Amino acid sequence: MKAVRFHQHGGPEVLRYEEAPDPRLEAGEVLVRVRSCALNHLDIWERRGLPNITIPMPHIPGSDVAGEVAESTDPGTAVGTRVMLQPGMSCGHCDACLSGLDNECPRYEVLGYQHHPGGYAEFVKVPVRNVILLPDHVDFVRAAAFPLTFLTAWHMLMTRAQLRRGEDVLVLAAGSGVGQAAIQIAHLHGARVFATAGTDAKLDRARSLGAFEAIDHRRQDIAQEIKRLTNRRGVDVVIEHVGEATWAKSVRSLARGGRLVTCGATTGGHGTLDLHALFAKQLTLLGSYMGTKGELLRAARFFFAGQLAPVVDRIFPLADAAAAHERLEASEQFGKIVLEV
Ligand SMILES: [Zn+2]
């Protein structure tokens, strides 16, 4: 099959469009003919290389996949069935998995990361439990743009932060995958959403997705603006994934009793914290990583009903994966960048 692989870590130029061996199906697995595969920041981290993480080479990235079943060892999943894939790979039989907390499985991994070749290819194989059937009206591009970021944002808002109707939420980086998903999920659940972005066009897009106010992080201080917009109160929930560059401002934006949830540290992993503020304002800091299969199925109901709509920034052919990576690395996008296979 054709695939995009890297044989060494480095810049976008290490991505090679080339022949790769077809995946060999094992019991309980399904082979999917990939039609669309969306990019995530994880694709860039693993391409550049991460400390203490060994990725077998050559490696096929790609965590967000939609396509058709090409071969199946499961009688319930017919060839030709239109599907999108759960990006979370777990063992299926440990106490975490059997308690419905598969993203806490000790063997949890993301499709396309480390040991599971991903969707930058004509074919990808997954366990049958990672398959989600697609209704006919949902196209492959939007389906590939949905799973990872909507799952992440759903787990952050609904499960970790326990978002309640009428609360104020600050979403950082509206144009990012997690940002556009979090704005929609929070708005859908009756929150008043404030979002940040760095261009006028992105600020407008944030409002059109449901943000009540959008803050220009280049010209305005996020925490000061939040205090002004909330009559000095602050927000109940901050959706953080930017890291060092925004951490202190995110903490300062919290109201008394506020919760900060973080799922990433794109600008660096070291933030400072005023412990006086932490206890005196009774703040809660929450880490969040992916989400459970059950949560993705729940979020998908709203997607299939048209109440959540992944924003597609641009579509590239698979062979141009390097150009797609360059666009994501330059933060030029609003929403998801998708490869068509
Ligand atoms: Zn497990």
Side-chain angles (χ1 to χ4, degrees):
M1 65 172 181
K2 288 284 187 205
V4 167
R5 304 193 290 184
F6 55 82
H7 296 248
Q8 71 207 68
H9 293 299
E13 72 283 352
V14 301
L15 296 173
R16 285 196 217 158
Y17 181 65
E18 61 189 8
E19 279 296 326
D22 287 341
R24 289 234 305 274
L25 220 51
E26 289 164 43
E29 291 182 332
V30 169
L31 186 71
V32 173
R33 170 68 175 90
V34 181
R35 296 296 174 190
S36 297
C37 181
L39 270 61
N40 289 286
H41 265 283
L42 185 64
D43 306 11
I44 290 174
W45 300 130
E46 65 178 16
R47 192 207 67 215
R48 290 179 185 163
L50 287 159
N52 307 321
I53 292 185
T54 306
I55 294 174
M57 301 281 183
H59 180 73
I60 305 175
S63 308
D64 269 333
V65 174
E68 293 142 339
V69 174
E71 196 183 329
S72 177
T73 60
D74 173 63
T77 315
V79 170
T81 306
R82 302 171 76 255
V83 296
M84 67 180 184
L85 301 186
Q86 292 259 17
M89 317 287 282
S90 59
C91 79
H93 46 74
C94 71
D95 62 348
C97 284
L98 293 175
S99 304
L101 302 169
D102 52 270
N103 61 331
E104 294 180 20
C105 173
R107 292 172 61 190
Y108 190 80
E109 258 192 37
V110 178
L111 177 66
Y113 189 55
Q114 286 195 282
H115 303 104
H116 297 279
Y120 287 26
E122 287 179 303
F123 294 96
V124 66
K125 68 168 194 170
V126 292
V128 66
R129 62 177 172 270
N130 283 66
V131 163
I132 299 175
L133 306 189
L134 277 185
D136 287 340
H137 70 276
V138 177
D139 61 77
F140 291 130
V141 169
R142 289 191 310 135
F146 184 78
L148 196 145
T149 49
F150 276 84
L151 173 61
T152 299
W154 187 279
H155 187 65
M156 293 174 85
L157 283 162
M158 309 311 296
T159 306
R160 302 297 281 145
Q162 296 277 306
L163 180 68
R164 292 185 293 268
R165 188 166 190 83
E167 289 194 310
D168 283 345
V169 177
L170 168 62
V171 175
L172 295 188
S176 65
V178 167
Q180 53 94 28
I183 292 171
Q184 294 185 59
I185 293 167
H187 181 63
L188 178 71
H189 288 87
R192 184 169 69 154
V193 181
F194 303 93
T196 72
T199 70
D200 289 338
K202 288 185 180 184
L203 294 167
D204 287 342
R205 298 288 298 275
R207 290 187 193 95
S208 72
L209 288 178
F212 175 72
E213 278 290 351
I215 298 167
D216 185 339
H217 66 73
R218 292 167 315 168
R219 290 193 296 238
Q220 296 171 303
D221 180 276
I222 296 170
Q224 272 178 23
E225 271 304 289
I226 286 294
K227 288 288 157 70
R228 187 179 72 79
L229 293 165
T230 60
N231 198 20
R232 303 215 59 76
R233 181 178 171 273
V235 296
D236 302 290
V237 176
V238 175
I239 295 299
E240 174 49 79
H241 51 105
V242 178
E244 265 176 50
T246 53
W247 178 261
K249 289 169 187 165
S250 293
V251 174
R252 279 210 308 279
S253 300
L254 287 167
R256 288 178 188 279
R259 295 93 79 198
L260 184 153
V261 197
T262 179
C263 71
T266 313
T267 58
H270 296 277
T272 56
L273 183 65
D274 177 356
L275 297 180
H276 298 99
L278 179 68
F279 67 73
K281 290 173 77 180
Q282 303 199 67
L283 306 179
T284 303
L285 303 178
L286 297 158
S288 190
Y289 188 61
M290 301 291 286
T292 68
K293 290 185 169 64
E295 287 173 304
L296 183 55
L297 289 174
R298 176 161 285 235
R301 291 213 303 254
F302 293 92
F303 171 37
F304 297 156
Q307 291 169 284
L308 295 173
V311 178
V312 175
D313 170 72
R314 196 177 286 184
I315 300 167
F316 290 83
L318 176 62
D320 294 342
H325 272 223
E326 282 167 13
R327 182 168 174 81
L328 183 59
E329 282 186 297
S331 295
E332 288 167 353
Q333 88 288 358
F334 192 99
K336 300 293 286 179
I337 298 169
V338 181
L339 302 172
E340 265 190 331
V341 184

